[in-house]
């Protein structure tokens, strides 16, 4: 063997040693899939009910159709069942997906799941709810703190910068609801004549939220309400309609659904802060696929929110947002 041959053999041995060393610290790297049709992605949602989550799934299905990836989905029938969602998520890890798209119902509760996913070298894309208790490859969703600030500004404008208001949260709101509420509280400090007189939490269905708002209206005079998610918004608007108080108590809500849009048309609430769940589902799948292929993905993708009211809800762009259809 001449000198040149010995040098080539030495280089090949060095490369082989390097590959073995890298694979020892990252066992999944040698198993990394090479094309989208080889990829299996597990989608874990908080709920299978409601227009919001159905639109998330429409976006995810659009990505499946475009890229040819395989998708499996698990979702709870009860959005408040965080323990049940965690159990389903841990079971999903055992199926060894190439990546996971996760809309978690709780941040701290999912710390063990994120740790286990990291140890298995399975990239996790968080959608809808930002997670801080472990490592995720990317977060795709609204700036919920900023949305809370926006809600307070809009209500302050409706009330001409003075009045007594309450925040209505839903127990299933999780970290999103807490961030929105904090944005509201911090923004209220800029309006000396706006007074947040109570924070109400309802759980279960919208009827429970309606009863919580009814109790609050009997308890004290309110000029405005900010409801932090779909169920809270429907419950608050429905009670204002029942009490014929829609013109007296201004309401800013979050999310969209057929019921909310009907209540908006009836002027039972003034504004809805809406994000694009279709884009969230699509981008969640797209970046999960790219992460599984070993590509770099953005650590944060903010889905811009829109303010929907009776005047602009029928605009063409807003109709696409409120009623997405896969072509």
């Amino acid at each position: 063997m001449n000198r040149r041959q010995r040098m080539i053999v030495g280089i090949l041995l060095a490369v082989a040693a390097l590959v073995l060393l890298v694979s020892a610290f990252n066992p999944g790297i040698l198993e990394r899939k090479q094309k989208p049709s080889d990829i299996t992605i597990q989608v874990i949602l908080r709920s299978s009910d409601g227009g919001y989550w159905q639109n998330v799934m429409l976006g995810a299905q659009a990505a499946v159709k475009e890229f040819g990836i395989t998708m499996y989905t698990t979702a709870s029938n009860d959005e408040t069942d965080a323990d049940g969602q965690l159990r389903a998520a841990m079971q999903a890890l055992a199926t060894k997906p190439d990546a996971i798209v996760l809309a978690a119902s709780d941040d701290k509760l999912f710390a063990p799941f994120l740790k286990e996913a990291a140890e298995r070298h399975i990239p996790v894309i968080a959608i809808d709810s930002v997670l801080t208790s472990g490592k995720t490859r990317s977060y795709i969703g609204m700036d919920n703190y900023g949305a809370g600030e926006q809600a307070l500004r809009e209500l302050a404008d409706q009330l001409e910068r003075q009045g007594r208001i309450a925040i209505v949260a839903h127990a299933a709101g999780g970290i999103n609801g807490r961030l929105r509420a904090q944005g509201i509280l911090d923004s209220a400090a800029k309006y000396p004549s706006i007074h947040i007189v109570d924070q109400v939490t309802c759980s279960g269905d919208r009827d429970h939220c309606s009863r919580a708002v009814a109790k609050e209206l009997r308890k004290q005079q309110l000029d405005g309400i900010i409801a932090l998610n779909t169920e809270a918004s429907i419950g608050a608007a429905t009670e204002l309609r029942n009490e014929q108080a829609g013109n007296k108590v201004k309401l800013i809500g979050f999310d969209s659904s057929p019921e909310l849009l009907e209540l908006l048309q009836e002027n039972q609430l003034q504004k809805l802060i809406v994000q694009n769940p279709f884009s969230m589902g699509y981008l969640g799948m797209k970046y999960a696929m790219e992460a599984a292929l070993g590509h770099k993905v953005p650590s944060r993708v903010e889905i811009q929110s829109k303010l929907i009211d009776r005047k602009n809800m029928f605009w063409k762009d807003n109709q696409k947002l409120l009623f997405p259809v896969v072509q």
Side-chain angles (χ1 to χ4, degrees):
M1 183 181 295
N2 60 36
R3 182 179 178 184
R4 177 179 174 82
Q5 289 174 324
R6 287 197 300 271
M7 184 167 59
I8 293 173
V9 170
I11 291 172
L12 291 175
L13 289 172
V15 170
L18 180 61
V19 168
L20 290 173
L21 180 63
V22 171
S23 64
F25 287 98
N26 187 359
I29 195 168
L30 296 180
E31 301 173 6
R32 186 167 285 154
K33 305 300 176 64
Q34 300 300 312
K35 56 184 186 295
S37 59
D38 294 332
I39 299 298
T40 297
I41 296 173
Q42 178 73 48
V43 178
I44 303 168
L45 301 182
R46 289 205 298 276
S47 175
S48 57
D49 295 332
Y52 181 85
W53 295 112
Q54 290 167 7
N55 287 339
V56 170
M57 285 308 304
L58 283 175
Q61 289 161 1
V64 167
K65 183 177 179 180
E66 179 177 345
F67 300 114
I69 49 187
T70 299
M71 175 179 69
Y72 294 102
T73 308
T74 179
S76 174
N77 292 324
D78 181 1
E79 194 169 342
T80 64
D81 184 14
D83 291 327
Q85 189 195 28
L86 178 60
R87 286 194 298 271
M90 296 301 285
Q91 290 170 3
L93 280 177
T95 67
K96 299 181 180 179
D98 297 300
I100 292 171
V101 176
L102 172 63
S105 51
D106 188 271
D107 186 9
K108 291 182 180 179
L109 189 67
F110 270 77
F113 170 83
L114 294 174
K115 181 181 178 183
E116 182 70 18
E119 290 175 352
R120 291 172 180 254
H121 305 282
I122 299 174
V124 176
I125 306 296
I127 64 170
D128 184 72
S129 299
V130 65
L131 295 174
T132 62
S133 60
K135 184 178 180 180
T136 60
R137 194 66 62 88
S138 182
Y139 165 65
I140 302 169
M142 179 192 290
D143 174 3
N144 285 287
Y145 178 87
E149 292 181 308
Q150 183 182 34
L152 192 282
R153 288 196 302 269
E154 289 298 322
L155 185 55
D157 287 345
Q158 292 284 333
L159 299 177
E160 298 181 348
R161 302 194 169 209
Q162 59 181 358
R164 295 163 55 86
I165 70 174
I167 300 170
V168 180
H170 193 276
I175 190 170
N176 289 353
R178 292 193 293 273
L179 288 170
R180 291 171 187 176
Q182 193 60 53
I184 292 167
L185 294 170
D186 291 348
S187 185
K190 303 172 186 176
Y191 298 89
S193 297
I194 293 288
H195 304 287
I196 298 176
V197 295
D198 210 349
Q199 295 187 62
V200 181
T201 300
C202 56
S203 60
D205 58 21
R206 60 198 59 170
D207 291 337
H208 186 275
C209 291
S210 289
R211 292 193 294 272
V213 171
K215 183 178 179 181
E216 191 67 20
L217 291 172
R218 291 193 298 269
K219 177 180 174 182
Q220 59 191 325
Q221 175 66 42
L222 291 179
D223 301 298
I225 296 171
I226 300 176
L228 298 185
N229 75 346
T230 305
E231 298 304 316
S233 299
I234 292 174
T238 300
E239 185 55 33
L240 292 180
R241 180 173 62 186
N242 293 342
E243 296 294 329
Q244 297 183 341
N247 291 324
K248 301 174 184 177
V249 182
K250 304 301 181 182
L251 172 61
I252 306 295
F254 275 83
D255 302 332
S256 69
S257 71
E259 298 95 326
L260 274 175
L261 296 176
E262 181 180 336
L263 290 161
L264 185 64
Q265 283 187 274
E266 296 175 6
N267 202 36
Q268 303 303 324
L269 67 164
Q270 281 62 53
K271 303 268 188 179
L272 285 171
I273 297 177
V274 176
Q275 57 184 323
N276 192 331
F278 182 93
S279 291
M280 190 185 301
Y282 175 85
L283 291 175
M285 291 294 287
K286 179 177 184 291
Y287 289 134
M289 174 195 71
E290 292 184 355
L293 291 170
H295 303 161
K296 186 177 180 179
V297 299
S299 61
R300 184 180 179 95
V301 179
E302 283 193 7
I303 301 294
Q304 295 300 313
S305 62
K306 272 197 170 185
L307 277 170
I308 303 296
D309 57 28
R310 286 196 299 168
K311 294 181 180 178
N312 68 20
M313 66 184 294
F314 295 109
W315 293 1
K316 185 176 180 180
D317 286 348
N318 290 341
Q319 284 286 291
K320 291 179 180 178
L321 171 65
L322 298 170
F323 303 104
V325 176
V326 179
Q327 299 297 329

